[in-house]
Amino acid sequence: AKEVREYMSSIGRALAMGPDAGIMKNGEKKDLGYRVGDYVAFPRFAPDKLVIQGVKVVMLNDTDPTMVISNPFDFDPSLGFK
């Protein structure tokens, strides 16, 4: 349970996606399941942290987000595990 909370403790909004997002090594395009503007959960230790014009942002690989969150204010990172 503690591992789940630590793993799923970060939520952010997808602000942009690069032109190669979702393109696999064989060149095929893969649906990532999220789009710019979606709130997504991602592993706490995955992102590169940056500050751009005074705003803290994180950069993720396109495969880092694990799920789309419809309302981030209602999200329980423990997923019900105790």
Side-chain angles (χ1 to χ4, degrees):
K2 179 181 176 189
E3 297 84 14
V4 171
R5 281 192 301 278
E6 289 178 358
Y7 184 78
M8 296 297 299
S9 62
S10 296
I11 296 175
R13 191 171 199 176
L15 300 177
M17 297 172 83
D20 294 336
I23 296 179
M24 301 186 313
K25 289 183 181 182
N26 65 5
E28 291 182 28
K29 179 85 170 159
K30 172 182 160 185
D31 180 19
L32 297 172
Y34 65 93
R35 302 188 189 300
V36 171
D38 287 346
Y39 287 96
V40 294
F42 55 89
R44 181 170 140 187
F45 303 110
D48 291 323
K49 297 168 178 81
L50 304 166
V51 177
I52 300 175
Q53 295 180 347
V55 177
K56 293 179 185 178
V57 297
V58 295
M59 288 181 52
L60 301 170
N61 290 320
D62 56 2
T63 56
D64 286 340
T66 54
M67 68 177 75
V68 174
I69 307 297
S70 58
N71 185 345
F73 301 105
D74 291 338
F75 182 69
D76 175 8
S78 73
L79 302 175
F81 292 95
K82 302 259 183 227

